Amino acid sequence: MSSRYVRSLAETLHGLSQDGISFRYMNRESSFVPSARELTALDSDNPDWVTRELGSGKFTYDWVLWIDADMVWTYEDIQKLLRSAELYTFVDSPKVISALCISGPDRMTHVRRDRGDGFPEAMHADEFLLESELMEVWGVGMAFLLVKSGVFESMPRPWFKIRHITWPHVGFETNVGEDLSWCISAREAGHQIWVDPLVRVGHHKSAIFRP
């Protein structure tokens, strides 16, 4: 965790407490990223590999907010995502909504769209400059992702099993990472993936990159 992440987390926990919102902080570690994500989602170091309940069924919840350990954000960013989930009823109450962040100095984002041949294409930050509405996309990295209760529970386990897709121009398979694999499984379970282009968070590497 970067120091900026810790500061953002502390401000968030303070804001939730001030607003009277109950929360549970979940974090588990593993040298294998898909396992770290799986253990975090189960809130357990000794996982039940059969259950399909987030937190291993130890609690009930309305939303889970997935934040990677190299992100920088404000409590207001979380409030904005929650407002989007409540306001955009025309898309039948979106259940998976991501903030917008970029990967590095090239300003490519963590957002992927389907370019028409079934293969995901990364989107550049400039493509979001004039956007103000929720956008449905192929998938996103799980950098800053709000997920409604019931989404994880509707998906098969393991939730972060790495999936493979075929590169159309060369004909062989490659993995798409555990986060985009999660998005594939979510879509197969009937959930759309959305991005709120007005919620923009920082990505802390050697410097803090922002859209």
Side-chain angles (χ1 to χ4, degrees):
M1 298 180 184
S2 72
S3 60
R4 295 297 299 272
Y5 172 92
V6 174
R7 182 187 306 173
S8 294
L9 178 61
E11 292 174 354
T12 294
L13 299 183
H14 176 73
L16 292 171
S17 297
Q18 288 291 102
D19 290 342
I21 300 174
S22 61
F23 61 88
R24 183 181 183 92
Y25 177 70
M26 300 191 297
N27 178 52
R28 293 294 188 277
E29 298 178 359
S30 172
S31 58
F32 185 48
V33 175
S35 292
R37 293 194 186 279
E38 200 82 16
L39 294 173
T40 295
L42 291 168
D43 195 30
S44 174
D45 292 318
N46 300 295
D48 175 353
W49 292 103
V50 177
T51 183
R52 292 169 67 171
E53 295 182 276
L54 191 84
S56 302
K58 293 180 290 188
F59 51 83
T60 59
Y61 69 102
D62 296 315
W63 295 93
V64 56
L65 179 60
W66 201 280
I67 305 176
D68 278 351
D70 55 1
M71 304 309 297
V72 179
W73 73 95
T74 66
Y75 182 48
E76 175 63 20
D77 293 325
I78 296 174
Q79 294 173 311
K80 288 178 181 177
L81 275 187
L82 286 169
R83 284 197 294 268
S84 290
E86 296 169 353
L87 292 175
Y88 284 88
T89 55
F90 69 90
V91 292
D92 191 27
S93 300
K95 297 179 180 179
V96 181
I97 310 176
S98 174
L100 182 65
C101 74
I102 63 177
S103 301
D106 61 359
R107 295 182 57 76
M108 298 304 293
T109 71
H110 70 313
V111 181
R112 301 292 185 273
R113 63 182 164 205
D114 184 348
R115 61 185 190 183
D117 54 10
F119 193 78
E121 178 182 46
M123 298 180 67
H124 193 275
D126 290 350
E127 298 181 67
F128 296 91
L129 290 177
L130 300 179
E131 300 293 341
S132 60
E133 304 287 339
L134 286 188
M135 300 172 60
E136 184 182 0
V137 296
W138 185 93
V140 294
M142 297 190 72
F144 202 90
L145 188 66
L146 185 68
V147 183
K148 182 72 171 177
S149 62
V151 173
F152 273 89
E153 291 79 2
S154 69
M155 296 165 58
R157 295 283 316 284
W159 290 309
F160 295 97
K161 177 182 179 180
I162 293 179
R163 306 284 294 266
H164 293 76
I165 59 175
T166 301
W167 290 64
H169 56 292
V170 292
F172 62 79
E173 287 190 339
T174 184
N175 76 71
V176 292
E178 82 291 336
D179 45 8
L180 292 177
S181 295
W182 184 92
C183 291
I184 293 174
S185 296
R187 288 192 289 106
E188 289 178 348
H191 306 290
Q192 298 166 308
I193 311 297
W194 300 87
V195 171
D196 189 334
L198 296 182
V199 182
R200 304 185 174 195
V201 295
H203 192 193
H204 194 179
K205 294 299 186 182
S206 57
I208 297 176
F209 300 107
R210 296 184 181 276

